[in-house]
């Protein structure tokens, strides 16, 4: 069955912000992204897994240039919520496989994750849609990851 | 600034599987999705936030009909890794806002999260790409959520 990956993209200008141990109740995500939007911080990936003990964690990426601004926004919110912590990591890159009709994208995900694993590249965050699988990895692994993923999907390194 | 949401989609046939406290080292995600692919389980959302203390959690969705098969795969992996736990939740729905050129999707995310919050609908998982923002919510809130999100983006309820 043909794996239909049509492009691989690499973003090296993004940084990760994680807001942890925040209340897992309606309004928290809304407050956070409204506050970021209010100061014109744009966000690329947003990832939130299921909460536990009424707490949750939201990780998102912003341009490296917006990290200080984002941290300020997050700190003010944590104070107003009276809960949670924040961490930031600028040394990341986002590598994505883009495909059309990736109905069988579990196969594409498995192959992408496998080639990274075989080369010792840890997958720090994952976010998917039907047409895209995105992974956050260390930025110093980004060029290697790009070449590896191009090669397993038979694409020419642009 | 025009918010370009062109469609709202609701999936009611998906269930959540969470694999928690697994080693945050290369190969884990690859093993998991290769094993699911090997028994032809297709996966819709995959969400993984940043790990802590060398452990991480991966949540993903599969068709409700595939939950038992997915649980079996996951249990075998947890045994082989000697680590981690799993949980499953069939009472979810996935609501998504789809847009073209959502470069300013922080504004779209904020509005979508806000209308859910105002109506007491908790956001359990979040995954985004440039063209789509997907949220996992309780399935008994799904029809209400669909109507609300249609209305804030000025779309007709199909
Ligand atoms: C954690 C956050 O997503 C919360 N569950 C909310 O709905 O806003
Ligand atoms: C947790 C899992 O994603 C792991 N970090 C891996 O690279 O496989």
């Amino acid at each position: 069955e043909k794996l239909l990956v049509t492009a691989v993209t690499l973003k090296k200008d993004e940084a990760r912000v994680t807001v942890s141990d925040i209340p897992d109740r309606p309004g928290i995500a809304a407050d956070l992204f409204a506050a970021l939007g209010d100061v014109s911080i744009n966000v690329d990936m947003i990832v939130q897994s299921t909460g536990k003990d009424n707490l949750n964690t939201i990780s998102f990426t912003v341009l490296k240039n917006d990290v200080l601004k984002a941290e300020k926004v997050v700190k003010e919110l944590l104070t107003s919520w009276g809960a949670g912590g924040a961490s930031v990591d600028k040394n990341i890159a986002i590598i994505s496989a883009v495909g059309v009709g990736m109905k069988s994208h579990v196969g594409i995900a498995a192959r992408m994750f496998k080639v990274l694993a075989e080369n010792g590249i840890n997958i720090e965050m994952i976010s998917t849609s039907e047409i895209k699988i995105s992974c956050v990895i260390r930025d110093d692994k980004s060029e290697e990851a790009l070449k590896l993923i191009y090669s397993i999907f038979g694409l020419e390194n642009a």
Side-chain angles (χ1 to χ4, degrees), chain A:
Chain A
E1 161 219 72
K2 204 156 171 28
L3 293 179
L4 298 162
V5 171
T6 52
V8 184
T9 63
L10 177 65
K11 289 183 180 172
K12 301 208 290 190
D13 56 357
E14 294 281 318
R16 169 183 65 77
V17 179
T18 295
V19 190
S20 51
D21 300 321
I22 52 181
D24 194 10
R25 64 164 188 257
I28 298 292
D31 285 352
L32 174 59
F33 292 97
L36 293 168
D38 285 348
V39 295
S40 304
I41 292 173
N42 212 355
V43 158
D44 191 79
M45 279 169 89
I46 302 172
V47 161
Q48 174 190 304
S49 199
T50 303
K52 209 167 98 173
D53 306 324
N54 295 317
L55 294 175
N56 212 336
T57 289
I58 304 179
S59 286
F60 57 95
T61 66
V62 298
L63 291 172
K64 292 194 209 295
N65 292 342
D66 280 340
V67 166
L68 285 176
K69 213 159 96 172
E71 268 186 302
K72 182 162 181 300
V73 166
V74 167
K75 289 205 167 90
E76 286 168 16
L77 279 168
L78 292 178
T79 302
S80 75
W81 293 330
S87 69
V88 159
D89 190 340
K90 292 179 95 168
N91 299 332
I92 63 154
I94 304 174
I95 185 126
S96 303
V98 182
V100 182
M102 297 209 304
K103 278 263 144 241
S104 60
H105 80 228
V106 68
I108 294 172
R111 274 174 97 185
M112 182 178 178
F113 300 164
K114 186 164 192 281
V115 77
L116 294 173
E118 286 168 348
N119 291 274
I121 299 172
N122 198 40
I123 298 166
E124 300 176 13
M125 282 170 64
I126 303 169
S127 182
T128 60
S129 70
E130 281 95 343
I131 65 160
K132 197 175 193 183
I133 297 165
S134 294
C135 294
V136 169
I137 58 173
R138 280 297 90 191
D139 60 359
D140 63 7
K141 300 285 194 177
S142 61
E143 295 299 336
E144 179 185 5
L146 187 65
K147 289 195 184 79
L148 290 168
I149 295 175
Y150 265 120
S151 69
I152 58 164
F153 292 121
L155 296 166
E156 286 312 309
N157 205 343

